[in-house]
Protein backbone atom coordinates (compact mmCIF):
# COMPACT_ATOMS: atom_id res chain seq x y z
CA UNK A 1 0.00 0.00 0.00
CA UNK A 2 1.34 3.46 -0.78
CA UNK A 3 2.08 5.69 2.17
CA UNK A 4 -0.59 8.31 2.69
CA UNK A 5 0.45 11.93 2.33
CA UNK A 6 -1.33 15.05 3.52
CA UNK A 7 -3.82 15.06 0.64
CA UNK A 8 -3.84 16.41 -2.85
CA UNK A 9 -4.41 20.01 -3.85
CA UNK A 10 -7.21 20.47 -6.37
CA UNK A 11 -6.83 21.61 -9.94
CA UNK A 12 -9.73 23.99 -10.46
CA UNK A 13 -10.65 23.46 -14.10
CA UNK A 14 -13.68 25.68 -13.84
CA UNK A 15 -11.70 28.70 -12.68
CA UNK A 16 -8.96 28.13 -15.22
CA UNK A 17 -11.48 27.68 -18.03
CA UNK A 18 -13.16 30.95 -17.05
CA UNK A 19 -9.81 32.74 -17.28
CA UNK A 20 -9.13 31.26 -20.72
CA UNK A 21 -12.61 32.23 -21.87
CA UNK A 22 -12.09 35.79 -20.65
CA UNK A 23 -8.83 35.95 -22.65
CA UNK A 24 -10.63 34.54 -25.68
CA UNK A 25 -13.32 37.22 -25.32
CA UNK A 26 -10.63 39.94 -25.39
CA UNK A 27 -8.97 38.41 -28.45
CA UNK A 28 -12.35 38.02 -30.10
CA UNK A 29 -13.14 41.72 -29.53
CA UNK A 30 -9.72 42.73 -30.89
CA UNK A 31 -10.32 40.67 -34.03
CA UNK A 32 -13.82 42.09 -34.42
CA UNK A 33 -12.29 45.59 -34.27
CA UNK A 34 -10.14 44.56 -37.22
CA UNK A 35 -13.22 43.41 -39.12
CA UNK A 36 -13.13 39.69 -38.37
CA UNK A 37 -15.63 38.46 -35.79
CA UNK A 38 -14.71 34.85 -34.98
CA UNK A 39 -17.52 32.55 -36.08
CA UNK A 40 -18.19 29.04 -34.79
CA UNK A 41 -20.82 26.85 -36.42
CA UNK A 42 -21.98 23.77 -34.56
CA UNK A 43 -23.99 21.05 -36.27
CA UNK A 44 -26.18 18.71 -34.26
CA UNK A 45 -27.92 15.79 -35.94
CA UNK A 46 -30.70 14.08 -34.01
CA UNK A 47 -31.97 14.50 -30.49
CA UNK A 48 -29.50 12.70 -28.26
CA UNK A 49 -30.02 14.47 -24.90
CA UNK A 50 -26.34 14.46 -23.85
CA UNK A 51 -25.30 15.90 -27.23
CA UNK A 52 -27.99 18.57 -26.95
CA UNK A 53 -26.56 19.61 -23.57
CA UNK A 54 -22.98 19.78 -24.95
CA UNK A 55 -24.08 21.76 -28.00
CA UNK A 56 -26.10 24.17 -25.87
CA UNK A 57 -23.06 24.77 -23.66
CA UNK A 58 -20.83 25.44 -26.68
CA UNK A 59 -23.38 27.82 -28.16
CA UNK A 60 -23.68 29.77 -24.90
CA UNK A 61 -19.92 29.91 -24.34
CA UNK A 62 -19.21 31.16 -27.86
CA UNK A 63 -21.87 33.84 -27.54
CA UNK A 64 -20.44 34.96 -24.19
CA UNK A 65 -17.01 35.21 -25.81
CA UNK A 66 -18.43 37.66 -28.35
CA UNK A 67 -18.30 35.23 -31.24
CA UNK A 68 -20.68 34.97 -34.13
CA UNK A 69 -22.01 31.72 -35.42
CA UNK A 70 -24.94 29.43 -35.32
CA UNK A 71 -26.10 26.03 -34.20
CA UNK A 72 -27.63 24.02 -37.00
CA UNK A 73 -30.03 21.41 -35.65
CA UNK A 74 -30.92 18.64 -38.10
CA UNK A 75 -33.45 15.83 -37.81
CA UNK A 76 -32.32 12.33 -36.87
CA UNK A 77 -33.10 11.00 -40.38
CA UNK A 78 -30.76 13.48 -42.11
CA UNK A 79 -28.82 11.71 -44.85
CA UNK A 80 -25.06 11.75 -45.15
CA UNK A 81 -25.36 13.67 -48.44
CA UNK A 82 -27.47 16.35 -46.74
CA UNK A 83 -24.99 16.72 -43.90
CA UNK A 84 -22.04 16.88 -46.31
CA UNK A 85 -23.82 19.61 -48.28
CA UNK A 86 -24.12 21.67 -45.10
CA UNK A 87 -20.45 21.12 -44.28
CA UNK A 88 -19.56 22.26 -47.81
CA UNK A 89 -21.63 25.41 -47.32
CA UNK A 90 -19.87 26.18 -44.03
CA UNK A 91 -16.48 25.42 -45.61
CA UNK A 92 -17.17 28.08 -48.24
CA UNK A 93 -18.60 30.72 -45.88
CA UNK A 94 -15.92 33.30 -44.96
CA UNK A 95 -17.84 34.26 -41.79
CA UNK A 96 -17.38 30.74 -40.44
CA UNK A 97 -13.94 30.11 -38.93
CA UNK A 98 -14.69 26.98 -36.94
CA UNK A 99 -16.93 24.02 -37.80
CA UNK A 100 -17.88 21.39 -35.28
CA UNK A 101 -20.10 18.42 -36.04
CA UNK A 102 -21.27 16.96 -32.74
CA UNK A 103 -20.62 13.24 -32.29
CA UNK A 104 -22.07 10.66 -32.16
CA UNK A 105 -23.92 10.77 -35.47
CA UNK A 106 -26.93 8.63 -36.39
CA UNK A 107 -26.15 5.22 -37.88
CA UNK A 108 -26.71 6.18 -41.54
CA UNK A 109 -23.84 8.72 -41.41
CA UNK A 110 -20.17 7.73 -41.38
CA UNK A 111 -18.35 10.06 -38.94
CA UNK A 112 -14.97 9.68 -40.66
CA UNK A 113 -16.42 10.76 -44.00
CA UNK A 114 -17.92 13.85 -42.38
CA UNK A 115 -14.71 14.75 -40.54
CA UNK A 116 -12.69 14.41 -43.75
CA UNK A 117 -15.04 16.87 -45.47
CA UNK A 118 -14.41 19.68 -42.98
CA UNK A 119 -11.72 22.07 -44.17
CA UNK A 120 -8.67 21.37 -41.99
CA UNK A 121 -8.22 25.09 -41.30
CA UNK A 122 -11.80 25.21 -39.92
CA UNK A 123 -11.55 21.90 -38.04
CA UNK A 124 -11.38 23.42 -34.55
CA UNK A 125 -12.08 20.00 -32.99
CA UNK A 126 -8.74 18.81 -34.38
CA UNK A 127 -10.10 15.52 -35.73
CA UNK A 128 -9.32 15.90 -39.46
CA UNK A 129 -6.49 13.59 -40.58
CA UNK A 130 -4.42 16.65 -41.60
CA UNK A 131 -4.60 18.04 -38.06
CA UNK A 132 -4.00 14.60 -36.52
CA UNK A 133 -0.91 14.27 -38.72
CA UNK A 134 0.37 17.75 -37.86
CA UNK A 135 0.02 16.99 -34.17
CA UNK A 136 2.04 13.82 -34.50
CA UNK A 137 4.73 15.49 -36.60
CA UNK A 138 4.91 18.36 -34.13
CA UNK A 139 3.74 21.12 -36.47
CA UNK A 140 2.03 23.78 -34.42
CA UNK A 141 -0.07 25.29 -37.20
CA UNK A 142 -2.79 22.64 -36.89
CA UNK A 143 -5.47 22.20 -34.23
CA UNK A 144 -5.04 19.80 -31.34
CA UNK A 145 -8.18 18.08 -30.03
CA UNK A 146 -9.72 20.21 -27.28
CA UNK A 147 -9.78 17.77 -24.36
CA UNK A 148 -6.12 16.73 -24.42
CA UNK A 149 -5.08 20.30 -25.29
CA UNK A 150 -7.01 21.41 -22.20
CA UNK A 151 -5.22 18.84 -20.04
CA UNK A 152 -1.83 20.03 -21.29
CA UNK A 153 -2.79 23.63 -20.60
CA UNK A 154 -3.87 22.66 -17.07
CA UNK A 155 -0.55 21.01 -16.36
CA UNK A 156 1.30 24.09 -17.62
CA UNK A 157 -0.85 26.56 -15.68
CA UNK A 158 -0.38 24.60 -12.47
CA UNK A 159 3.39 24.45 -12.98
CA UNK A 160 3.55 20.68 -13.31
CA UNK A 161 6.95 19.71 -14.71
CA UNK A 162 6.42 17.46 -17.71
CA UNK A 163 9.99 17.44 -19.00
CA UNK A 164 11.42 13.99 -18.39
CA UNK A 165 8.35 13.03 -16.35
CA UNK A 166 6.88 9.55 -16.52
CA UNK A 167 3.39 10.08 -17.89
CA UNK A 168 0.94 7.19 -18.05
CA UNK A 169 -2.23 7.66 -20.11
CA UNK A 170 -5.06 5.14 -19.68
CA UNK A 171 -7.06 5.09 -22.92
CA UNK A 172 -6.09 5.13 -26.60
CA UNK A 173 -9.08 6.79 -28.24
CA UNK A 174 -8.65 9.18 -31.14
CA UNK A 175 -10.25 12.04 -29.23
CA UNK A 176 -8.41 11.73 -25.92
CA UNK A 177 -5.78 9.04 -25.32
CA UNK A 178 -3.78 9.10 -28.57
CA UNK A 179 -3.61 12.89 -29.00
CA UNK A 180 -2.82 13.24 -25.29
CA UNK A 181 0.21 11.02 -25.74
CA UNK A 182 1.20 12.82 -28.94
CA UNK A 183 1.07 16.23 -27.25
CA UNK A 184 3.12 15.25 -24.22
CA UNK A 185 5.82 13.34 -26.10
CA UNK A 186 6.69 16.30 -28.36
CA UNK A 187 9.80 18.31 -27.66
CA UNK A 188 9.10 21.64 -26.01
CA UNK A 189 7.32 23.44 -23.19
CA UNK A 190 4.54 21.53 -21.47
CA UNK A 191 5.78 18.34 -23.08
CA UNK A 192 9.10 16.41 -23.31
CA UNK A 193 7.56 13.62 -21.25
CA UNK A 194 8.18 9.88 -21.39
CA UNK A 195 4.72 8.60 -22.23
CA UNK A 196 3.20 5.15 -21.75
CA UNK A 197 -0.24 4.50 -23.23
CA UNK A 198 -2.33 1.78 -21.57
CA UNK A 199 -5.60 0.23 -22.77
CA UNK A 200 -7.87 -2.70 -22.18
CA UNK A 201 -5.23 -5.17 -23.41
CA UNK A 202 -2.50 -3.84 -21.15
CA UNK A 203 -1.03 -6.53 -18.93
CA UNK A 204 -0.79 -5.47 -15.27
CA UNK A 205 -2.18 -1.94 -15.56
CA UNK A 206 -1.28 -1.07 -11.96
CA UNK A 207 2.40 -1.82 -12.57
CA UNK A 208 2.37 1.00 -15.13
CA UNK A 209 0.21 3.46 -13.24
CA UNK A 210 2.35 3.13 -10.09
CA UNK A 211 5.35 4.42 -12.07
CA UNK A 212 3.53 7.55 -13.20
CA UNK A 213 4.57 11.01 -12.05
CA UNK A 214 1.53 12.18 -14.03
CA UNK A 215 -1.40 9.80 -14.47
CA UNK A 216 -4.04 10.75 -17.04
CA UNK A 217 -7.14 8.59 -17.05
CA UNK A 218 -9.55 8.48 -20.00
CA UNK A 219 -11.07 5.01 -19.91
CA UNK A 220 -14.77 5.71 -19.32
CA UNK A 221 -14.86 3.29 -16.35
CA UNK A 222 -16.29 4.77 -13.17
CA UNK A 223 -13.71 4.97 -10.37
CA UNK A 224 -11.45 2.29 -11.85
CA UNK A 225 -8.25 3.93 -10.60
CA UNK A 226 -7.87 3.30 -6.89
CA UNK A 227 -5.34 4.65 -4.39
CA UNK A 228 -3.16 1.53 -4.51
CA UNK A 229 -2.57 2.18 -8.26
CA UNK A 230 -1.12 5.65 -7.69
CA UNK A 231 2.42 6.65 -6.75
CA UNK A 232 2.50 8.90 -3.67
CA UNK A 233 2.82 12.51 -4.79
CA UNK A 234 1.65 11.87 -8.35
CA UNK A 235 -0.43 14.35 -10.35
CA UNK A 236 -3.73 12.70 -11.35
CA UNK A 237 -5.87 14.01 -14.20
CA UNK A 238 -9.31 12.44 -14.49
CA UNK A 239 -10.87 12.86 -17.93
CA UNK A 240 -13.64 10.34 -17.31
CA UNK A 241 -17.30 11.32 -17.12
CA UNK A 242 -19.58 8.51 -16.00
CA UNK A 243 -23.18 8.66 -14.80
CA UNK A 244 -23.82 6.28 -11.95
CA UNK A 245 -27.08 5.63 -10.07
CA UNK A 246 -27.52 7.75 -6.93
CA UNK A 247 -30.83 7.62 -5.13
CA UNK A 248 -29.99 10.75 -3.10
CA UNK A 249 -30.08 13.07 -6.14
CA UNK A 250 -33.13 14.44 -7.91
CA UNK A 251 -32.15 12.93 -11.25
CA UNK A 252 -31.32 9.59 -9.61
CA UNK A 253 -27.80 9.71 -11.07
CA UNK A 254 -24.49 11.35 -10.34
CA UNK A 255 -21.45 12.24 -12.43
CA UNK A 256 -18.18 10.57 -11.41
CA UNK A 257 -14.79 10.27 -13.01
CA UNK A 258 -12.58 7.29 -13.78
CA UNK A 259 -10.66 7.90 -10.57
CA UNK A 260 -11.78 6.98 -7.06
CA UNK A 261 -11.42 10.60 -5.99
CA UNK A 262 -11.78 10.19 -2.21
CA UNK A 263 -9.17 7.44 -2.04
CA UNK A 264 -6.72 8.80 -4.61
CA UNK A 265 -6.68 12.36 -3.27
CA UNK A 266 -5.05 11.02 -0.10
CA UNK A 267 -2.10 9.73 -2.14
CA UNK A 268 -1.73 12.22 -5.01
CA UNK A 269 -0.21 15.70 -4.77
CA UNK A 270 -2.53 17.34 -7.29
CA UNK A 271 -5.83 16.05 -8.67
CA UNK A 272 -8.72 17.14 -10.88
CA UNK A 273 -12.26 16.76 -9.54
CA UNK A 274 -15.22 15.52 -11.60
CA UNK A 275 -17.16 17.63 -12.32
CA UNK A 276 -15.18 20.89 -12.42
CA UNK A 277 -11.88 19.51 -13.69
CA UNK A 278 -11.14 18.62 -17.30
CA UNK A 279 -14.73 19.11 -18.53
CA UNK A 280 -14.84 22.93 -18.54
CA UNK A 281 -11.42 23.07 -20.21
CA UNK A 282 -12.70 21.31 -23.33
CA UNK A 283 -15.07 24.13 -24.27
CA UNK A 284 -12.50 26.80 -23.37
CA UNK A 285 -10.01 25.20 -25.77
CA UNK A 286 -12.65 24.97 -28.49
CA UNK A 287 -13.16 28.74 -28.26
CA UNK A 288 -9.40 29.24 -28.16
CA UNK A 289 -9.01 27.20 -31.38
CA UNK A 290 -11.79 29.18 -33.07
CA UNK A 291 -10.13 32.50 -32.27
CA UNK A 292 -6.86 31.13 -33.67
CA UNK A 293 -8.66 30.06 -36.84
CA UNK A 294 -10.16 33.53 -37.22
CA UNK A 295 -6.82 35.27 -36.53
CA UNK A 296 -5.14 33.24 -39.25
CA UNK A 297 -7.46 34.66 -41.88
CA UNK A 298 -5.91 38.07 -41.12
CA UNK A 299 -2.33 36.91 -40.78
CA UNK A 300 -2.45 34.89 -43.99
P1 LIG B 1 -13.38 5.48 -25.47
O1 LIG B 1 -14.40 4.52 -24.98
O2 LIG B 1 -13.31 5.82 -26.90
O3 LIG B 1 -11.93 4.93 -25.05
C1 LIG B 1 -11.69 4.37 -23.80
C2 LIG B 1 -10.29 3.85 -23.75
O4 LIG B 1 -10.05 3.32 -22.45
C3 LIG B 1 -10.03 2.72 -24.75
O5 LIG B 1 -8.76 2.90 -25.35
C4 LIG B 1 -10.06 1.46 -23.89
O6 LIG B 1 -9.20 0.45 -24.34
C5 LIG B 1 -9.55 1.99 -22.56
N1 LIG B 1 -10.06 1.20 -21.45
C6 LIG B 1 -11.35 0.91 -21.17
N2 LIG B 1 -11.42 0.14 -20.06
C7 LIG B 1 -10.15 -0.07 -19.65
C8 LIG B 1 -9.56 -0.80 -18.59
N3 LIG B 1 -10.33 -1.47 -17.71
N4 LIG B 1 -8.23 -0.80 -18.47
C9 LIG B 1 -7.46 -0.11 -19.34
N5 LIG B 1 -7.95 0.59 -20.37
C10 LIG B 1 -9.28 0.60 -20.53
O7 LIG B 1 -13.57 6.77 -24.58
P2 LIG B 1 -13.08 8.29 -24.80
O8 LIG B 1 -11.61 8.34 -24.96
O9 LIG B 1 -13.94 8.94 -25.79
O10 LIG B 1 -13.49 8.91 -23.38
C11 LIG B 1 -12.93 8.42 -22.18
C12 LIG B 1 -13.65 9.05 -21.01
O11 LIG B 1 -13.44 10.44 -21.05
C13 LIG B 1 -15.16 8.85 -21.03
O12 LIG B 1 -15.62 8.75 -19.69
C14 LIG B 1 -15.68 10.13 -21.63
O13 LIG B 1 -16.99 10.43 -21.21
C15 LIG B 1 -14.69 11.11 -21.09
N6 LIG B 1 -14.53 12.31 -21.92
C16 LIG B 1 -14.54 13.50 -21.27
C17 LIG B 1 -14.37 14.66 -21.97
C18 LIG B 1 -14.35 15.94 -21.21
O14 LIG B 1 -14.53 16.98 -21.81
N7 LIG B 1 -14.11 15.90 -19.91
C19 LIG B 1 -14.22 14.68 -23.43
C20 LIG B 1 -14.11 13.37 -24.01
C21 LIG B 1 -14.28 12.23 -23.26
P3 LIG B 1 -9.41 -0.31 -25.78
O15 LIG B 1 -8.93 0.68 -26.80
O16 LIG B 1 -8.54 -1.50 -25.68
O17 LIG B 1 -10.87 -0.60 -25.88
Amino acid sequence: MPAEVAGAALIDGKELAERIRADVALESAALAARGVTPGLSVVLVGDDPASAVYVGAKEKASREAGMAGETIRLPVDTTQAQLLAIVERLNADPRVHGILVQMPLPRQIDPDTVIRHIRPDKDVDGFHPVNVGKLLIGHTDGFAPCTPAGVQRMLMEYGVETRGAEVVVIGRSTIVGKPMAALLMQPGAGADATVTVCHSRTRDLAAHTRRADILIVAAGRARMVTADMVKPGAVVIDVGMNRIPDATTKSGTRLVGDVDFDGVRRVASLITPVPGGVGPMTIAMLLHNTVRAAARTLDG
Side-chain angles (χ1 to χ4, degrees):
M1 282 288 286
E4 285 190 2
V5 292
L10 285 191
I11 294 183
D12 187 344
K14 193 161 170 282
E15 182 272 336
L16 179 54
E18 273 163 21
R19 261 197 287 144
I20 293 170
R21 284 166 57 172
D23 286 347
V24 165
L26 290 176
E27 289 169 48
S28 180
L31 284 167
R34 294 174 69 190
V36 178
T37 301
L40 173 66
S41 289
V42 180
V43 185
L44 172 65
V45 187
D47 41 24
D48 176 64
S51 294
V53 170
Y54 295 143
V55 163
K58 288 165 188 172
E59 194 177 16
K60 181 166 173 279
S62 64
R63 225 184 6 248
E64 283 171 5
M67 294 183 179
E70 56 178 339
T71 300
I72 301 168
R73 292 180 167 81
L74 301 171
V76 69
D77 58 355
T78 301
T79 65
Q80 180 165 299
Q82 286 168 329
L83 179 57
L84 294 181
I86 286 169
V87 169
E88 294 296 349
R89 173 169 71 72
L90 298 173
N91 278 343
D93 187 339
R95 293 166 304 175
V96 175
H97 303 103
I99 303 170
L100 183 155
V101 178
Q102 183 67 41
M103 302 290 162
L105 289 166
R107 222 172 301 141
Q108 72 276 16
I109 302 177
D110 173 40
D112 289 333
T113 302
V114 175
I115 289 166
R116 280 198 301 271
H117 265 76
I118 298 172
R119 262 174 60 163
D121 58 347
K122 295 191 179 190
D123 167 44
V124 286
D125 249 348
F127 295 156
H128 190 285
V130 166
N131 285 318
V132 175
K134 283 184 175 179
L135 174 60
L136 207 57
I137 295 165
H139 291 175
T140 53
D141 63 339
F143 294 111
C146 301
T147 301
V151 170
Q152 185 183 41
R153 181 78 181 262
M154 266 180 163
L155 295 173
M156 292 174 85
E157 295 278 343
Y158 275 76
V160 175
E161 180 60 89
T162 51
R163 182 185 298 156
E166 291 280 348
V167 173
V168 173
V169 180
I170 306 181
R172 57 176 166 182
S173 75
T174 308
I175 63 167
V176 190
K178 279 186 209 162
M180 189 75 256
L183 279 168
L184 294 179
M185 75 166 75
Q186 297 299 332
D192 272 329
T194 304
V195 184
T196 304
V197 180
C198 300
H199 45 76
S200 68
R201 306 290 180 194
T202 297
R203 220 183 320 130
D204 198 355
L205 180 66
H208 292 284
T209 60
R210 278 193 215 108
R211 279 190 297 106
D213 302 312
I214 302 169
L215 177 60
I216 302 172
V217 193
R221 299 278 180 274
R223 295 186 289 207
M224 67 170 279
V225 170
T226 47
D228 58 310
M229 296 169 73
V230 177
K231 175 164 129 178
V235 174
V236 178
I237 307 290
D238 188 356
V239 182
M241 291 198 301
N242 311 286
R243 286 229 158 258
I244 60 163
D246 182 348
T248 67
T249 66
K250 209 164 78 186
S251 65
T253 65
R254 182 161 58 98
L255 195 63
V256 296
D258 289 350
V259 172
D260 173 23
F261 183 81
D262 292 334
V264 171
R265 75 174 303 187
R266 283 186 269 126
V267 181
S269 62
L270 202 54
I271 189 168
T272 56
V274 176
V278 175
M281 292 296 290
T282 300
I283 291 186
M285 297 312 286
L286 173 70
L287 302 183
H288 171 79
N289 279 352
T290 306
V291 162
R292 278 181 59 215
R296 278 194 208 141
T297 63
L298 279 175
D299 301 339

